[in-house]
Amino acid sequence: MLGKLIYENLQKYGFPYPIDKHICSSWAKDIPKQSSTILYTSCMYQTASLSEIYSKFIPYAEKLSAFSFLGKYIKPKKEELDRAYKILNRIVQLLKRNGIEFGYLYEEEPYSGAILLELGFLDEFSAYAKSVYKFFKEKGIKRIITVDPHTHNALTRYQEFIDKMDIEVVNYLELIKDAKAISDITFVVHDSCLYSRFLNLRDKYREIIEKSGIKTIEDELVTGNDTAFCCGSPIKPINPELSDKIAKARVQQLTKLSNNILVVCPMCYANLSKHHENIKDLTEVIE
Amino acid sequence: MNQEWDIAIQRTINNNVPRVSKILKEHQYILELAKKLREAKLKILSNLEEYIEQTLESVKRTGGNAYFVKDPSEARELVGKIVGKGKIVVFGKSMVAYELGIRKYLAQLGNEVWETDLGEFLIQLADEPPSHIIAPAIHMTKERVAKLLKEKLGFDVSENSTHEELVQKVREFLRNKFLSANVGITGANAVAADVGSIVLVENEGNIRMSTVVPPVHIAIVGVEKIVPTLEDALNEALVQAAYAGLYPPTYINVTSGPSSTGDIEMKRVSPAHGPKEFHLILVDNGRIKASKDEILREALLCIRCGRCHLHCPVYRVLDGMWGDAPYTGPMGAMWSYIIYGDGKPATYCTHSGNCKEVCPMKINIPKVLEYIKYLENKKQS
């Protein structure tokens, strides 16, 4: 059973599939390890490009019993990793410029459990969330700053499974009050489904975009709050073909408005990038 | 993607989505009615069996016949007994009748059966499953419709025929069927528990004809369509029409038992000009079980406006074939589980969340689908 396998991998590797944890933490320098407030990446930006590869192994996962051998060989491409690291460092700079202090757990940083939640393995998610929460409490963490929608969603839903959860979860987009555009390129925004329709953060990042001076092209049937398509990423582990069809259709819709696509989620970037080159994360176009 | 589907669905979205937004902006009382309707329906769903009893009694008081059936075979047997053989039967569009396989069963018994809703009529001619809950032939372009009418019925139409010309040809063909029909079969948008009336909202006039012209009218309705009062039932018709994008609706039909008159000495007698028999068949087929589950119960609030379909990326890229007919799209992924026990459609949900944003009943569809995934995962472990 897939849920059980992912859960076991989380125990063994601290991630849904085997991975060299250096990949997750090597981006960070000069961030204190001890702090009651932490920046929490859940290794999402760093590994987004691997989801494509691992989703292909899922149909055979149970036969292979574990992916342990894969972790040694499968790594993100250097340019993808460099880009992810650059994005995370820009988030650090943006937060610091806005006066926010925080630490980072480096290789001790656990995964959020988002994939269990999104695939409907709620019992496994509940057990895993409890263990992660316990770890955070033992570390004296009181406030977590998330940097992607899937992690933010998973953490905000911990409270459904944990009695009296008393760790504050905030997204970096809520903390940036001041940022400006670094070029005059006009974009079409591909909204994050979770930020927009589950986490009430659509206005936050759209406000940052608007205030920064970035110009965007809108069309009610393409970028409206109730019409904007998903990138297809969440369905990838279940049906990669369907995921790809959605990504392709989404790129077709967006590029009718602009050749420059702006995203706020590493998974959206990874899935849409298969069909289009000019995609930027918000943090790559503001400072 | 299938090219014909892509053209057809894009035209549909362009025609429908902005129109629904405009309707809701211009008639804001609809939002209040929808809120009130959700409360009324939740009241029923928390005590469904008692309201089923009340509804059956209320229909009998109006001089109608009322039945409760548990599953498709009971439903088919009952409808078969009422209709008999060698009759002409007109269907005024009922997705529950499709769910139960009524049309094909009556044809097997030796009846001449005709769907009269234009979309359903096209589906019947093509012998294809419906692709949308209220616009079942949404996957066909105008050009395909012309080809189908020419091939199956020999109509003098071409790919250059206008929408109006195609509709006119079907009108000519079906008019005679209405007038010669022995039985009319419909669904219902809502059933009022207090007085036993059914309410049907439509635009074509086919439902009005099917419920009034033939001497026998059978309404086949899922038990979740029961609402406490006739006021709630009329509200449901208004809300459904607005969210479906055709507002005001051309017709709202109320049927309370067989036709009657009190014009001679004010003595009420039945029948008069309309049907002499009215039969209401309330269908369970998994609905009562779902009503007892706090999360699945939400799915039963669906009023079949079909709005969620047009906002869903999965429905769009799967060429309208997401879910088990007639239940497609986001609502269909929930209903495929409730009716057919099929949890696979739920696993395809990408939780884009557009469906919950546009649902008039505020059903958190991704949440229900997450729960179905969970139940399926548990079953497999």
Side-chain angles (χ1 to χ4, degrees), chain B residues 152-171:
Chain B
K152 297 285 179 176
L153 297 170
F155 288 0
D156 181 21
V157 290
S158 73
E159 61 178 28
N160 296 322
S161 298
T162 62
H163 293 82
E164 288 81 358
E165 284 163 352
L166 297 172
V167 174
Q168 173 63 23
K169 289 287 179 190
V170 177
R171 175 190 162 94

Side-chain angles (χ1 to χ4, degrees), chain B residues 9-27:
Chain B
I9 191 69
Q10 193 59 57
R11 286 178 186 168
T12 303
I13 289 169
N14 292 344
N15 285 331
N16 181 277
V17 172
R19 196 169 59 212
V20 175
S21 302
K22 188 167 176 275
I23 289 167
L24 298 178
K25 206 171 166 188
E26 287 175 359
H27 308 282

Side-chain angles (χ1 to χ4, degrees), chain B residues 12 17 21 24 54 65 67 162 170 198 212 219 236 340 343 358 363:
Chain B
T12 303
V17 172
S21 302
L24 298 178
Q54 189 192 341
N65 301 291
Y67 321 83
T162 62
V170 177
I198 67 163
V212 174
E236 180 151 351
Y340 305 111
V358 300
I363 304 169

Side-chain angles (χ1 to χ4, degrees), chain A residues 1 118-123 157 160 193 197-198 221 225-230 234-235 238-239 242 246, chain B residues 1 14 17 311 313 316-318 347-348 350-354 356-358 366-367 370 373-374 377-378 381:
Chain A
M1 205 260 285
E118 292 177 22
L119 294 179
F121 295 106
L122 300 183
D123 290 339
R157 290 194 60 186
E160 293 172 33
C193 296
R197 292 175 286 274
F198 294 87
L221 291 179
N225 187 41
D226 57 29
T227 54
F229 264 30
C230 164
I235 193 67
I238 297 294
N239 190 327
L242 172 58
I246 296 174
Chain B
M1 266 189 283
N14 292 344
V17 172
H311 292 253
R316 171 82 181 256
V317 302
L318 286 178
T347 66
Y348 285 5
T350 62
H351 56 75
S352 83
N354 289 331
K356 76 180 175 70
E357 295 294 314
V358 300
K367 173 104 180 157
E370 177 187 276
K373 287 183 208 174
Y374 166 67
N377 288 335
K378 268 204 350 181
S381 67

Side-chain angles (χ1 to χ4, degrees), chain A residues 27-39:
Chain A
W27 66 275
K29 287 176 190 71
D30 307 326
I31 306 176
K33 217 172 173 182
Q34 301 288 331
S35 175
S36 60
T37 297
I38 55 158
L39 186 76

